[in-house]
Amino acid sequence: MNHVVWSFACVYLLEVTCPDSALASEEKRPSLGVDIISLNGKWQLMNSNSSVSVSADVPGCVHTTLQRQGFISDPYYRFNDLAYRWISLDNWTYTTSFSVPSHVRGKGKAVLVFEGVDTVSTISLNGLTIGKTDNMFRRYDFDVTGLLKDEENVLQVWIMSAVTYASQRSHAHTEYRVPPDCPPPVQKGECHVNFIRKAQSSFSWDWGPSFPTLGIWKGVRLEVFNTSRVLSYTTSPKYDSEHSSWTVEVELFFDVFVASKGLVHLSIPLLQSEAEFQLSLTPGQSKKSFVLQLNQSVSLWWPFGHGEQFLYYLTIDVSLEGGETFNADRMVAFRTVELVQEPIPSSPGLSFYFRINGKPIFLKGSNWIPVHAFQDQVTTDMITILLRSAQKANMNALRVWGGGVYEQDIFYSLCDMYGIMIWQDFMFACALYPTEKDFIQTVREEVTQQVRRLKSHPSVVIWSGNNENEAAIATDWFNIPVTVRPLYVKDYVHLYVENIRDIVLQEDSTRPFLVSSPTNGVESEKEGWVAKDPYDPHYGDTHFYSYYKDCWDWTAFPRTRFASEYGFQSWPSLSTLSKVSVSSDWDFSSNFSAHRQHHEYGNQQMLKQAELHYILPNSTDPLQKYRDTIYITQVMQAQCVKIQTEFYRRSRSDIVEGKGHTMGTLYWQLNDIWQGPSWSSVEFGGKWKMLHYWATDFYAPILSAGVEDKGDLLIYGVSDSHSETHNVKAKVKLHSWSSFNAVCSLESNVTTIKAGGSTLVFQHSISALLTQCGNCTRRSCIVTFHLSSPEGQMISPHNHIFLSSPRYAEGLQKPNITFTVKDTGIVQNFFVTLHCSFPAVYVWLDVDNIPGHFDVNGFLMLSKKSTVIFGAWRPTTAEEITSNLHITSLRDVY
């Protein structure tokens, strides 16, 4: 299912040096005398009337199975999301048979373990119902002691249509409405997703399709034992500030059949720390905690860009008196995290920032959505390339958004290695939820399991209860009468505070918990957990979208404490779209373009925003116009997000009219779930949009950010450094659109950029600047700048600011760009040398389906010659790149 577009990611894996076990799932479950029989592999799959009967892989899902068996084509192709709706409306049955060796059958207890069923199922063994499931985010264990046969055992999983189940649950909830009922029609989705514990986006979202999947999406196994088994284990490094020492708390969760005693041995060899503890187990499920004292100082784990990511092996050895043993290891890291909400001088409200190892950290990153509509299709390669792309763009944080899934173990392990902090939502989004006893109970088990699974990862720095549900109530998304609003607030508090928050605080004392995002944090708590205005920039985090206002007007952005969502849409490249479309679809007015856009008026909004500053493409060649229109949406998106992000970064030290001290930017969104228009900076398949190239600069550790304010040109120096100050000069040039020679150059006095702050390093009246330079007007010239050391060494990326909209540029001509491609002599790296006749704006290089990325793209070309490097992610040649390379600049599209 679109495998080819991701196959290149293995090259990224070569850049990672780590033990294999660090990349593997850390939940090793053998031993203690436990026999494990995997039931993964080939099962039989049948629909409700037996008209479809095929062999199926487990783990897997129905859609994937039907495609692999040739029963359907690619579900992502053209309009297939509608054509294959019948699959999700049917009920399906998975069946397998297995035998159990005699020495295993004789053991005392047998348990069938389902790591993940999607979603509502009835499970039977040898014709007897052994249990039901109703939550795709939970593991289920079913006791089958005494039910196993000597020979063939038949295991059957009947899965009910999630759409039907959600509808039935909603209609059974007659006391009061739990909105929303259905998604907006533009999303072409299914209704009542809030009544089922399943990926909320699987019923549709404004960036993705409706594929309410069914299947056994994680592993199945039989565990048989005489004494006990380990269900899971966690590690929690804790810092004692009074004694300046670290300990590691290890929790072991047991399922005990027969009482027993033994020893637990913990060791971190690199720290020369080990200890042995007595163990006493009684029948039933129990938790045992042990604390390992460290004998020497540790190297801390830091977010990317702030230090190294030290990881230590911790080994766990359990030995029982009967000779049974359990052995496992886990990577542990030492870091503290605090969410600081305290008064700020000269500002009402409270701060909102993260302190890691005692140092304030500005979070730079994006939001993560599901990598694929069919989770069984998500590979380590896919996850790796997205996380490496984030790191290459100087990101240190990602928010795992609450409408998708809790990610795979490998995702968090890689984030531990890469230094990418994770803001982890629980899976509730943009809706109100029922609070019946059985719903609450399954949520409580879900939260308990997920916290225990994820809390050992240093990358996870915060839990958040939901996405936008506080705001939904506070700002009345669902037209709830004032008289009944307290009922919904009560349900909200019951679910997120009295249950989810309560469990998180019990299970994990090492990181903060927020009830929602956006939220006013502790202020929301004071207001009964639903603030009057959760978007108040004086508190907490904000989500902000504005598609019709001019995104170049930085004064329209909220001067927030923390920007956890903001963004603009664009279309992915033609090479990405062409995999799921035909040539007749390649028009912005086509049915395909309308069908793929799931955000109301999204296509119009993109062009309206672009038209404010650019002349829209007007080629008479329909295909060229389509390519150019895709290009202009990516130009618009990159420029809009750049302006907004730079505003937030330079606001980290500012308090203006009581607002500011911004300490985080997570734009919406990093990745795509399919090939379509969205807010992403990386396309489905891993190709970088222009925005992602620009992110490498606007997220640089040291940034020069320019802005026009009251007729003055202001240039700020922004530094992420904790302690190091930088003495810098701003080097400023004015370039004419009609010449390669700079019209004039200026240089500021040496200024010290404060550590961890934003400092004004250059200020000049623009009218005086134009007069001083001569031969320049707002329309005929552009300003470029960067920061350098007093000795002239460049220490920030090049940046620029337009003095008027490029659509009104005077003297801007078609640049007539030509190019040559040459092998660099380094494996799969190629020089692309460009020549042009005139200065060029937003020079964009696209090599169609050759996977890889350039060292720079979407750039200003203010010299006759420029060389960039293309790094391919699969074997290629200079000839192949030459034949596939398309180069576009702004002046080429009209």
Side-chain angles (χ1 to χ4, degrees):
M1 194 168 297
N2 298 296
H3 290 138
V4 65
V5 297
W6 287 101
S7 61
F8 53 83
C10 57
V11 177
Y12 262 174
L13 284 171
L14 298 179
E15 301 177 33
V16 180
T17 55
C18 63
D20 290 342
S21 57
L23 290 175
S25 170
E26 294 170 317
E27 292 292 343
K28 298 179 181 177
R29 303 184 184 279
S31 50
L32 284 189
V34 180
D35 283 289
I36 297 177
I37 298 174
S38 173
L39 301 180
N40 295 344
K42 295 297 180 183
W43 291 47
Q44 196 67 20
L45 177 65
M46 185 180 298
N47 70 337
S48 59
N49 66 5
S50 305
S51 60
V52 179
S53 181
V54 293
S55 175
D57 288 324
V58 170
C61 80
V62 173
H63 289 80
T64 302
T65 297
L66 296 182
Q67 185 189 358
R68 285 178 176 166
Q69 295 295 340
F71 207 89
I72 63 173
S73 60
D74 184 354
Y76 281 5
Y77 184 70
R78 300 193 79 210
F79 307 96
N80 279 351
D81 53 318
L82 298 183
Y84 297 153
R85 184 170 176 254
W86 63 270
I87 297 170
S88 299
L89 299 179
D90 206 345
N91 303 321
W92 297 81
T93 302
Y94 281 83
T95 305
T96 191
S97 60
F98 62 95
S99 58
V100 181
S102 57
H103 76 277
V104 173
R105 282 198 313 277
K107 291 200 170 184
K109 187 172 181 179
V111 181
L112 269 173
V113 180
F114 286 81
E115 289 287 354
V117 179
D118 183 10
T119 293
V120 179
S121 76
T122 300
I123 301 172
S124 63
L125 177 65
N126 298 325
L128 295 174
T129 298
I130 59 171
K132 297 174 181 285
T133 71
D134 63 3
N135 188 329
M136 78 175 285
F137 305 125
R138 280 183 55 183
R139 161 182 159 168
Y140 287 86
D141 289 27
F142 301 109
D143 189 340
V144 294
T145 306
L147 299 181
L148 296 172
K149 292 183 176 181
D150 292 345
E151 297 178 356
E152 185 180 66
N153 293 273
V154 178
L155 179 60
Q156 196 168 75
V157 181
W158 176 83
I159 301 179
M160 181 180 184
S161 162
V163 177
T164 303
Y165 174 86
S167 177
Q168 289 179 359
R169 290 290 301 222
S170 172
H171 288 108
H173 193 285
T174 56
E175 189 176 345
Y176 55 93
R177 178 173 161 257
V178 183
D181 293 324
C182 300
V186 69
Q187 292 183 18
K188 308 160 192 71
E190 304 293 352
C191 301
H192 310 298
V193 70
N194 49 338
F195 278 85
I196 185 170
R197 291 310 299 143
K198 175 175 175 59
Q200 301 291 275
S201 59
S202 66
F203 275 41
S204 78
W205 217 262
D206 56 4
W207 36 253
S210 175
F211 284 114
T213 47
L214 312 94
I216 304 173
W217 73 297
K218 293 189 176 183
V220 186
R221 64 183 178 273
L222 177 68
E223 296 189 354
V224 187
F225 56 99
N226 279 327
T227 306
S228 61
R229 61 182 178 136
V230 176
L231 297 171
S232 63
Y233 56 94
T234 69
T235 55
S236 299
K238 296 181 179 180
Y239 183 64
D240 181 346
S241 56
E242 184 177 344
H243 299 95
S244 299
S245 63
W246 286 90
T247 59
V248 180
E249 181 184 31
V250 177
E251 295 174 320
L252 292 163
F253 297 89
F254 291 94
D255 178 14
V256 181
F257 183 59
V258 175
S260 58
K261 294 183 178 182
L263 296 174
V264 174
H265 184 267
L266 305 178
S267 174
I268 303 179
L270 279 177
L271 295 177
Q272 298 177 355
S273 300
E274 61 181 327
E276 196 164 77
F277 306 88
Q278 297 291 323
L279 176 66
S280 179
L281 299 174
T282 56
Q285 293 197 3
S286 63
K287 177 182 77 172
K288 300 294 181 181
S289 297
F290 310 94
V291 177
L292 176 64
Q293 303 283 342
L294 301 190
N295 295 330
Q296 62 184 63
S297 61
V298 304
S299 296
L300 298 176
W301 183 97
W302 288 97
F304 178 69
H306 293 273
E308 297 299 317
Q309 293 78 49
F310 286 99
L311 298 168
Y312 295 88
Y313 266 119
L314 180 146
T315 63
I316 303 169
D317 297 290
V318 180
S319 56
L320 300 183
E321 289 178 346
E324 297 165 329
T325 62
F326 170 82
N327 311 99
D329 54 56
R330 167 154 278 158
M331 304 301 291
V332 297
F334 300 92
R335 66 103 185 91
T336 61
V337 56
E338 305 161 82
L339 177 58
V340 182
Q341 299 178 78
E342 60 188 15
I344 301 174
S346 305
S347 175
L350 300 170
S351 66
F352 188 94
Y353 69 91
F354 289 87
R355 199 153 52 199
I356 307 294
N357 301 327
K359 304 292 185 181
I361 302 290
F362 190 104
L363 269 64
K364 304 181 299 184
S366 188
N367 284 263
W368 177 280
I369 67 166
V371 178
H372 205 293
F374 309 116
Q375 281 294 308
D376 60 304
Q377 296 297 292
V378 179
T379 65
T380 297
D381 285 356
M382 292 180 180
I383 293 170
T384 301
I385 194 170
L386 288 171
L387 292 178
R388 287 288 287 134
S389 293
Q391 192 194 57
K392 282 176 175 286
N394 289 308
M395 295 183 186
N396 62 22
L398 292 170
R399 173 173 172 249
V400 178
W401 169 76
V405 297
Y406 306 96
E407 276 299 336
Q408 301 176 17
D409 292 343
I410 187 64
F411 170 87
Y412 300 96
S413 295
L414 287 171
C415 288
D416 294 344
M417 293 167 53
Y418 295 161
I420 298 175
M421 294 176 284
I422 296 300
W423 173 313
Q424 179 65 56
D425 280 2
F426 289 96
M427 295 300 123
F428 302 86
C430 300
L432 306 185
Y433 288 85
T435 55
E436 285 95 338
K437 186 177 180 179
D438 62 339
F439 187 87
I440 292 293
Q441 186 55 46
T442 196
V443 167
R444 288 184 65 87
E445 185 62 30
E446 165 193 332
V447 171
T448 300
Q449 289 184 14
Q450 293 298 340
V451 172
R452 289 177 182 175
R453 182 173 73 94
L454 302 180
K455 76 172 190 175
S456 302
H457 292 279
S459 53
V460 179
V461 296
I462 187 170
W463 307 106
S464 179
N466 66 73
N467 173 75
E468 299 184 343
N469 296 349
E470 178 186 346
I473 296 175
T475 59
D476 197 21
W477 288 11
F478 306 123
N479 300 311
I480 296 171
V482 175
T483 54
V484 297
R485 185 175 179 268
L487 173 64
Y488 292 94
V489 173
K490 181 182 177 183
D491 279 359
Y492 178 90
V493 172
H494 183 58
L495 176 58
Y496 300 111
V497 180
E498 296 170 357
N499 282 283
I500 295 176
R501 178 176 179 269
D502 181 61
I503 291 171
V504 173
L505 295 183
Q506 288 179 42
E507 293 287 337
D508 183 17
S509 63
T510 66
R511 50 176 65 78
F513 174 86
L514 281 177
V515 175
S516 187
S517 175
T519 184
N520 291 346
V522 294
E523 177 61 24
S524 288
E525 181 178 351
K526 289 179 182 177
E527 295 181 40
W529 303 102
V530 177
K532 182 179 179 181
D533 177 17
Y535 297 99
D536 188 339
H538 297 97
Y539 301 94
D541 66 318
T542 59
H543 298 184
F544 180 80
Y545 298 94
S546 178
Y547 305 114
Y548 290 110
K549 290 182 180 178
D550 184 357
C551 77
W552 288 31
D553 179 11
W554 57 270
T555 64
F557 302 135
R559 199 179 289 270
T560 177
R561 305 293 195 217
F562 194 106
S564 51
E565 277 193 32
Y566 61 97
F568 295 83
Q569 277 199 326
S570 69
W571 274 82
S573 61
L574 180 58
S575 61
T576 294
L577 289 167
S578 64
K579 296 176 178 64
V580 292
S581 60
V582 296
S583 58
S584 60
D585 297 327
W586 300 341
D587 187 297
F588 251 58
S589 60
S590 70
N591 290 336
F592 175 81
S593 292
H595 174 75
R596 220 68 176 182
Q597 176 58 268
H598 284 194
H599 170 61
E600 193 79 53
Y601 309 118
N603 290 341
Q604 297 94 314
Q605 289 170 351
M606 279 185 270
L607 296 183
K608 285 290 185 184
Q609 184 65 238
E611 198 173 24
L612 292 174
H613 297 287
Y614 314 113
I615 296 173
L616 296 182
N618 57 15
S619 173
T620 57
D621 178 354
L623 179 58
Q624 188 59 50
K625 185 178 180 181
Y626 186 66
R627 276 187 179 273
D628 292 345
T629 304
I630 290 171
Y631 164 84
I632 208 69
T633 68
Q634 292 203 18
V635 167
M636 175 276 296
Q637 180 195 37
Q639 186 72 47
C640 287
V641 176
K642 171 185 184 290
I643 291 170
Q644 193 166 356
T645 305
E646 290 183 348
F647 166 72
Y648 292 138
R649 287 199 69 188
R650 63 185 172 82
S651 296
R652 68 179 293 169
S653 300
D654 293 347
I655 295 293
V656 178
E657 298 177 352
K659 302 172 187 175
H661 195 59
T662 306
M663 283 298 289
T665 55
L666 305 175
Y667 66 75
W668 187 268
Q669 67 207 61
L670 177 71
N671 57 308
D672 268 333
I673 197 170
W674 73 338
Q675 306 92 334
S678 80
W679 294 257
S680 76
S681 61
V682 180
E683 300 175 6
F684 182 83
K687 192 171 187 174
W688 290 14
K689 291 182 179 177
M690 192 178 295
L691 169 58
H692 207 80
Y693 284 100
W694 286 28
T696 63
D697 286 344
F698 63 62
Y699 277 153
I702 299 178
L703 169 72
S704 58
V707 64
E708 180 178 345
D709 189 17
K710 300 175 183 176
D712 283 357
L713 171 63
L714 310 178
I715 298 176
Y716 291 82
V718 184
S719 171
D720 285 339
S721 174
H722 301 142
S723 56
E724 184 181 3
T725 58
H726 293 272
N727 294 323
V728 304
K729 296 186 291 185
K731 293 196 170 184
V732 183
K733 292 184 178 181
L734 268 70
H735 291 265
S736 166
W737 290 127
S738 56
S739 170
F740 288 113
N741 298 318
V743 176
C744 69
S745 301
L746 297 88
E747 199 172 271
S748 72
N749 295 325
V750 174
T751 304
T752 300
I753 300 179
K754 55 190 172 188
S758 172
T759 307
L760 181 66
V761 298
F762 179 90
Q763 182 170 5
H764 205 295
S765 162
I766 291 176
S767 60
L769 185 64
L770 294 172
T771 301
Q772 176 182 340
C773 284
N775 299 319
C776 254
T777 67
R778 282 181 171 270
R779 295 188 174 189
S780 66
C781 289
I782 184 174
V783 179
T784 66
F785 53 91
H786 68 273
L787 302 179
S788 72
S789 67
E791 297 75 33
Q793 181 181 1
M794 190 172 80
I795 61 172
S796 78
H798 287 288
N799 209 338
H800 64 271
I801 184 171
F802 294 97
L803 301 179
S804 72
S805 296
R807 68 172 295 125
Y808 303 120
E810 295 175 353
L812 186 63
Q813 303 181 55
K814 290 186 183 294
N816 303 316
I817 299 174
T818 59
F819 68 91
T820 57
V821 180
K822 182 181 178 182
D823 197 315
T824 65
I826 301 172
V827 176
Q828 302 311 324
N829 276 256
F830 299 85
F831 290 123
V832 181
T833 302
L834 310 177
H835 297 267
C836 62
S837 305
F838 298 96
V841 187
Y842 304 133
V843 177
W844 180 244
L845 288 73
D846 186 335
V847 288
D848 279 346
N849 288 314
I850 304 174
H853 67 74
F854 295 89
D855 64 332
V856 63
N857 211 346
F859 54 91
L860 292 175
M861 188 169 174
L862 300 175
S863 59
K864 292 182 180 180
K865 178 183 175 182
S866 183
T867 298
V868 300
I869 297 174
F870 177 70
W873 297 334
R874 65 158 171 81
T876 186
T877 62
E879 292 73 22
E880 185 186 18
I881 294 171
T882 299
S883 63
N884 284 275
L885 180 59
H886 301 266
I887 299 178
T888 308
S889 76
L890 185 64
R891 189 60 186 84
D892 294 323
V893 306
Y894 63 91

